[in-house]
Amino acid sequence: MNKTFTVLKDTNMSFKAASQSTSGEVRDGYTEQQQLQYTKYLKQLLNEFQERWCKTSNSTVSYSNLEHIRTLGTGAFGRVILVRHSNSSKYYAMKVLEKERIIKMKQVDHTLYEKRILEAIRFPFTVSMETSFKDNSYIYFVMPFVPGGEMFTHLRKMSKFEEPIAKFYACQVVLALEYLHFCKLVYRDLKPENIMIDKNGYLKITDFGFCKVLQGRTWTLCGTPEYLAPELILSKGYGFSVDWWSFGVLLFEMNAGYPPFYANEPMKTYEKIVAGKYRCPSSFNSDLRDLIRNTLQVDISKRFGVMKNGVMDFKNHRWFRGIEWEAILNCRWSAPYVPKCKHPGDSTNFDNYDDEPLRPGSYCRFESEFLDF
């Protein structure tokens, strides 16, 4: 069956397939021919990624036109603020990073990488950047506001996700990682706190602070302890395999409500990860157990995602039986859970934080370090 994937270039970045598979075909597995056609589509997205990577983005959004509303979240380097454009009344999430903190934590290269990556990526299940600014003390990333809040918040409220919800989210993460890896990007910080839910119930992976273009292997120790892959902990040098390990941890946590590897001290957590020791809850069915066993595989040569069949090992796994991958990609699958959003700027799905005014310095700090920003 021949399929042609086309992109409709609008503000919502919607994706359509010229012809659709029947449900029966997809439920029998994702065929090699389907994957071949999808690979052609990924090549198109890669070309567009490379074009944006090599040029400076332009935007009609300026800092003076943004009205601060409230803080949506805080982190090690700064905060994320909900803002509204005074002319269009459109809402954005503005990530504000303090130059001084970035310097102290030696994250300048990661921050510059994050800017370029956010400017270049375009995929249904990843955030992208509208524009960026810098002043004497801060740098700013302006991104579309995703009103559904963090996956972590909803997982905490529900204790764990029912299997249809977990499966729906897992499909999108698989597709997002496939896209990022096709663009030679290793993500390195997959966790519920870095996954947003939009108003329609679909996902957006955010926070690309540890993401980088990868040629060969890298040795940087970064990420969240419970989600680190064994090869990363052991400083062996690693590649895209670390993202698939993190996906296995995420898959476990979505279905169990807690991560598979946890201890009171990070070193003990690392010991469990390196040994690959975890215990599945009795509620996990045999298909889910098998998928997790093949993803949380200490031996990289046996880990799903990086073996000969690549992502096809996921797309054709029994646990994903019944999933129409193209319907998921095109956001035509009915989301099993849709967060309550009363209006485009509704921020009730986010925790409350104390708002602190931004106070740019009277002179430009660390000008040379952020000259290329």
Side-chain angles (χ1 to χ4, degrees), residues 219-222 224-238 242 245 261 266-275:
W219 283 262
T220 308
L221 177 61
C222 61
T224 302
E226 291 82 8
Y227 277 75
L228 297 182
E231 62 270 24
L232 195 154
I233 294 170
L234 295 173
S235 301
K236 288 184 174 181
Y238 59 87
V242 298
W245 174 277
F261 309 104
M267 286 305 299
K268 291 184 178 180
T269 299
Y270 298 154
E271 289 173 3
K272 290 183 178 181
I273 291 171
V274 170

Side-chain angles (χ1 to χ4, degrees), residues 85-189:
H85 193 274
S86 57
N87 295 333
S88 66
S89 296
K90 188 173 180 178
Y91 292 89
Y92 297 95
M94 185 170 71
K95 187 174 182 177
V96 185
L97 306 174
E98 291 187 42
K99 292 181 183 179
E100 185 174 5
R101 292 192 192 181
I102 295 172
I103 295 291
K104 285 182 177 179
M105 300 185 75
K106 300 179 180 180
Q107 295 295 313
V108 175
D109 289 342
H110 283 164
T111 303
L112 296 177
Y113 244 120
E114 181 177 15
K115 173 182 179 289
R116 295 193 68 184
I117 289 167
L118 285 171
E119 288 174 338
I121 60 175
R122 295 290 187 280
F123 195 72
F125 313 129
T126 63
V127 297
S128 55
M129 187 159 66
E130 182 71 25
T131 190
S132 60
F133 321 103
K134 64 179 177 180
D135 60 22
N136 288 344
S137 301
Y138 306 97
I139 61 175
Y140 305 86
F141 296 159
V142 180
M143 298 165 285
F145 172 53
V146 185
E150 296 177 0
M151 174 192 283
F152 177 78
T153 302
H154 296 283
L155 182 57
R156 185 173 55 191
K157 288 180 180 178
M158 297 180 185
S159 297
K160 65 178 182 178
F161 292 142
E162 296 297 325
E163 192 167 301
I165 298 177
K167 193 175 298 187
F168 176 70
Y169 292 157
C171 292
Q172 296 166 68
V173 175
V174 167
L175 291 170
L177 291 179
E178 182 181 17
Y179 164 74
L180 292 174
H181 294 174
F182 203 87
C183 294
K184 302 301 180 184
L185 296 172
V186 59
Y187 180 64
R188 298 193 293 185
D189 203 18

Side-chain angles (χ1 to χ4, degrees), residues 261-328:
F261 309 104
Y262 181 78
N264 293 328
E265 300 175 13
M267 286 305 299
K268 291 184 178 180
T269 299
Y270 298 154
E271 289 173 3
K272 290 183 178 181
I273 291 171
V274 170
K277 291 184 178 180
Y278 65 90
R279 180 176 297 176
C280 289
S282 58
S283 59
F284 283 17
N285 61 42
S286 59
D287 289 345
L288 179 57
R289 288 170 185 265
D290 182 78
L291 181 58
I292 289 173
R293 179 179 60 82
N294 283 287
T295 309
L296 294 181
Q297 176 60 251
V298 174
D299 185 346
I300 300 174
S301 66
K302 299 178 181 178
R303 188 180 304 166
F304 272 16
V306 290
M307 294 194 296
K308 179 182 177 181
N309 293 328
V311 294
M312 291 290 279
D313 285 329
F314 290 110
K315 292 181 179 181
N316 278 323
H317 193 272
R318 297 188 304 273
W319 193 68
F320 285 113
R321 187 178 297 147
I323 290 294
E324 296 187 32
W325 290 89
E326 289 172 12
I328 296 289

